[in-house]
Amino acid sequence: MVVQQHRVKGGATAVAVAAGLIACAGCSGGGAVAEDQQGGDPLATVRGAADGLVAAGSSEARTSMVMATGGTRVTIRGEGAYDFKKRMGQLKVLLPPAPDGADKHRPITELLAPGALYMKNRGAGVPADKWVRIDTASLDDGNLVTGGATDPLAAAELLRGAKEAAYVGRADVAGTGVRHYRGVTDIARAARVASPHVRGALSAAAKGFAKDAVPFDAYLDDQGRLRKVRHRFDFANAGRTVAVASTTLLYAFGVPVEVRLPAARDIYAGKIQA
């Protein structure tokens, strides 16, 4: 079995595990549309989504990453919270069961920080009390898919590169009325205009993905806060195209978020088994 792996000091990250598993096996109204279309520019709205999150301060988050190839689909789910002002968050990521149905994977704890991804319970070969640290600018995809969850603020920063966007209509996300926008963003353009803390990672992604164009659906509430965003990526894996749909759901804005990065002595520097 050959799978694409992003290696860091001999290890591979969460998406490689999922790739291995694959290998093994709106409601809208005419009046609302007219009112919203007159009220703003869809491109300007989605491009400003990241600024709206920073202004909101923080939120809880749920993530879903669906990987599909050759008729096989696997889903990686995450849940946690994010501080958009400090640009730091924490997620618990659940890998799917093995093809035989056995759940052999412990939840992975991920700490998201500017320029870095920290992972605990990464896998075989890593002591239970140690973390793996990954420089996101060193990853071919800039950690848009590698960790099994797209950094919530990076997902919004990616929208800064939107080259086309259209207002779809009113919708409901988890009981909240939202405006639904659909379009295509450009990774390379997003890298050029992104905030400094994510620019390096998006620049790496612009070089690593075969296509810069990324279709998206974005849902913003009436306060301009991004409630949900879904990106659709394609990347090559062992000569096949893997389609990845990454969805981020944001809620409970203003919740206290505390993220403590591990000390240097708690970071594992040895070899990680794939």
Side-chain angles (χ1 to χ4, degrees):
M1 177 182 68
V2 179
V3 297
Q4 180 187 40
Q5 297 178 340
H6 300 291
R7 293 195 170 274
V8 181
K9 295 180 180 178
T13 49
V15 73
V17 177
L21 291 170
I22 291 176
C24 291
C27 52
S28 62
V33 171
E35 178 183 352
D36 284 347
Q37 285 180 332
Q38 293 172 2
D41 174 14
L43 267 179
T45 299
V46 299
R47 287 174 178 173
D51 295 330
L53 291 181
V54 173
S58 64
S59 79
E60 294 186 7
R62 290 195 184 102
T63 65
S64 171
M65 186 167 288
V66 180
M67 305 175 64
T69 185
T72 302
R73 291 161 55 97
V74 297
T75 301
I76 304 171
R77 302 190 184 278
E79 186 170 357
Y82 201 99
D83 187 318
F84 300 107
K85 291 187 176 180
K86 294 181 179 178
R87 295 168 171 81
M88 298 174 66
Q90 178 168 322
L91 295 173
K92 179 180 288 186
V93 176
L94 301 176
L95 296 174
D100 61 3
D103 189 357
K104 302 177 182 179
H105 306 293
R106 294 179 298 170
I108 298 174
T109 300
E110 296 188 358
L111 303 182
L112 309 168
L117 168 67
Y118 297 83
M119 307 175 77
K120 195 172 187 180
N121 292 338
R122 166 57 193 86
V126 181
D129 61 341
K130 295 294 184 180
W131 294 81
V132 174
R133 184 189 185 281
I134 301 168
D135 180 356
T136 53
S138 71
L139 297 171
D140 290 342
D141 67 308
N143 195 34
L144 292 178
V145 301
T146 286
T150 303
D151 180 305
L153 191 53
E157 290 278 355
L158 188 55
L159 295 176
R160 292 190 191 275
K163 58 183 181 179
E164 58 183 76
Y167 175 67
V168 177
R170 298 288 298 185
D172 181 279
V173 172
T176 298
V178 295
R179 292 178 172 88
H180 177 193
Y181 299 88
R182 177 174 294 150
V184 178
T185 191
D186 184 274
I187 301 176
R189 185 184 188 282
R192 292 194 297 269
V193 299
S195 300
H197 78 283
V198 75
R199 195 170 297 156
L202 290 182
S203 295
K207 298 175 183 177
F209 279 96
K211 298 179 181 179
D212 280 343
V214 177
F216 69 84
D217 285 270
Y219 303 79
L220 288 85
D221 64 21
D222 293 336
Q223 287 73 50
R225 300 173 300 193
L226 186 66
R227 289 282 183 159
K228 179 180 177 181
V229 60
R230 182 174 186 263
H231 296 293
R232 292 176 292 283
F233 305 99
D234 290 315
F235 70 92
N237 177 55
R240 295 176 297 175
T241 298
V242 179
V244 180
S246 176
T247 302
T248 302
L249 179 68
L250 303 172
Y251 58 99
F253 288 95
V255 65
V257 178
E258 182 178 359
V259 179
R260 295 184 179 180
L261 299 182
R265 64 179 179 275
D266 296 324
I267 297 175
Y268 181 67
K271 184 177 181 180
I272 305 171
Q273 299 179 27

